Amino acid sequence: MRSVTNFPLMMATWKIAPAIAWGNTCIIKPSEDTPASVTLLGRLAVEAGFPPGVLNVLNGHGAPAGSTLTADDRVDRVTFTGSSTTGKAVMASASTHLAPVSLELGGKGANLVFDDADIDNAVYWAVEAIFRNSGQICLAGSRLFVQSGIYDEFMERFQAAAEALTIGDPFDPEVKFSVLSSKKHFDKVSGYVAGVEGDGGTIRTGGIDEDGRWLVRPTIIEDLPLDVAAYCDEIFGPVVVVNRFETEAEAVRLANDTRYGLNAMLFTENLSRAHRVSSNLKAGTVWVNCFFIRDLRTPFGGVGDSGVGREGGDFSREFFTEPKAVVMQIDRSVPGA
């Protein structure tokens, strides 16, 4: 198992609980950038009386710690949450001893706001979808599509809400936005932002902080071509690209024009449209008029570069167990008994 930088403790418990509930022992390797909470979880498990060896925490970098685990033929299952590039390497490594894998990988979530949406609600969730956790969420709504009829009004409110976010110490309950998880990650995200205007886009608000902190401010980009890196790649930071659309068919086409398929959102007061668009979106999860409300009994995962398999509820049971058929002859009068 591996947990990632976005919600390391929560992600770990989503995997550990069903694995242990179905009779497995497990080894979890936290992200090297955010190891503290999962390491503490391991200590709490010992204090709670877990038998030795049931829950194990292995700290270290992906190579050699993670790669050694996935290649070990004593590992019966591999579940990984992280980047698409690393997920492909994990899958290749586990395949050397045919270990089943569950991969929840990157995303480039589409957020569709139709002209019949409740604008206040749509603005609130659009801010949550891209700026929560400073954008370090694989589910982030990093591609925002707004129907032309409400585009100007929506963008004024969206920009104002983004600029109103309190930036500071994340331990302060009043703070809603803070720095990125590491210098390496800051360099990656700021590199995308720095290249936006050269690619033809416009930074409506936000940008790179110049005070030496690992801070990219809540950033809204308009007019960006649909084939450049900042539009196509998972940035994993507080950067949203906004485009207009005219028709429902165009919105669905734009949303599906990506190699990712983890999640999507749509905002409309039309129930028929909500059902129709949800059905046509290529995504493992679709939220209607909300974001990141999850029941752990429901399937979670993506398609394309967003991964393989599902976890949650019965899907976790199926992954963490091995089915067996037992055939027993009862009627001894049958010839050959």
Side-chain angles (χ1 to χ4, degrees):
M1 298 181 177
R2 186 188 174 196
S3 66
V4 291
T5 58
N6 46 11
F7 299 109
L9 182 60
M10 183 167 65
M11 298 293 290
T13 60
W14 287 355
K15 297 175 182 293
I16 291 169
I20 293 177
W22 290 104
N24 301 282
T25 61
C26 54
I27 304 172
I28 183 162
K29 194 202 88 62
S31 166
E32 52 268 28
D33 291 327
T34 55
S37 59
V38 176
T39 301
L40 179 58
L41 178 64
R43 293 176 181 172
L44 292 173
V46 173
E47 292 180 14
F50 274 47
V54 170
L55 175 59
N56 308 274
V57 178
L58 175 66
N59 282 304
H61 289 270
S67 56
T68 299
L69 277 177
T70 56
D72 195 311
D73 61 10
R74 293 171 294 179
V75 174
D76 295 323
R77 295 285 189 278
V78 177
T79 172
F80 171 80
T81 301
S83 73
S84 300
T85 299
T86 304
K88 292 173 183 178
V90 167
M91 192 172 196
S93 178
S95 71
T96 61
H97 57 105
L98 299 180
V101 298
S102 174
L103 305 176
E104 192 263 286
L105 306 178
K108 194 73 176 178
N111 185 357
L112 310 179
V113 182
F114 290 92
D115 56 12
D116 63 349
D118 179 328
I119 295 182
D120 289 336
N121 183 62
V123 167
Y124 172 83
W125 287 115
V127 169
E128 285 288 301
I130 186 58
F131 300 131
R132 180 190 290 186
N133 209 43
S134 301
Q136 298 168 117
I137 307 177
C138 51
L139 299 165
S142 53
R143 292 181 302 139
L144 176 60
F145 302 100
V146 184
Q147 199 158 17
S148 291
I150 60 167
Y151 185 90
D152 291 337
E153 180 183 0
F154 178 89
M155 290 304 295
E156 287 180 7
R157 296 196 198 181
F158 182 50
Q159 179 178 347
E163 292 174 345
L165 291 171
T166 305
I167 301 173
D169 183 349
F171 287 101
D172 183 341
E174 299 300 318
V175 168
K176 301 300 181 183
F177 191 90
S178 193
V179 298
L180 298 176
S181 61
S182 69
K183 175 66 163 60
K184 179 181 179 181
H185 188 52
F186 168 76
D187 290 342
K188 173 195 169 184
V189 175
S190 59
Y192 280 107
V193 175
V196 161
E197 294 182 342
D199 286 334
T202 302
I203 298 177
R204 179 166 178 144
T205 188
I208 305 165
D209 186 76
E210 302 296 339
D211 293 335
R213 299 178 290 178
W214 302 340
L215 177 65
V216 175
R217 295 181 178 276
T219 301
I220 300 172
I221 298 170
E222 294 178 299
D223 307 318
L224 192 67
L226 306 187
D227 59 351
V228 302
Y231 178 86
C232 298
D233 296 350
E234 182 187 37
I235 297 177
F236 208 67
V239 182
V240 60
V241 178
V242 190
N243 291 93
R244 300 172 186 260
F245 70 88
E246 300 294 337
T247 67
E248 180 182 304
E250 181 187 12
V252 172
R253 178 181 61 78
L254 289 168
N256 289 339
D257 186 21
T258 174
R259 63 184 184 273
Y260 296 102
L262 185 58
N263 66 290
M265 291 148 277
L266 66 101
F267 292 85
T268 179
E269 294 300 292
N270 185 316
L271 184 59
S272 295
R273 170 179 282 161
H275 281 288
R276 188 170 57 246
V277 174
S278 296
S279 177
N280 289 324
L281 291 173
K282 296 178 182 178
T285 300
V286 178
W287 283 289
V288 179
N289 295 328
C290 61
F291 168 68
F292 205 2
I293 296 174
R294 186 184 172 202
D295 186 324
L296 294 178
R297 295 168 294 183
T298 59
F300 186 74
V303 298
D305 272 16
S306 290
V308 296
R310 296 291 185 273
E311 293 182 28
D314 284 342
F315 294 87
S316 290
R317 175 184 57 79
E318 291 177 6
F319 181 72
F320 288 116
T321 60
E322 192 69 62
K324 177 188 293 185
V326 177
V327 180
M328 185 178 299
Q329 188 180 38
I330 302 297
D331 185 356
R332 295 305 181 93
S333 66
V334 177

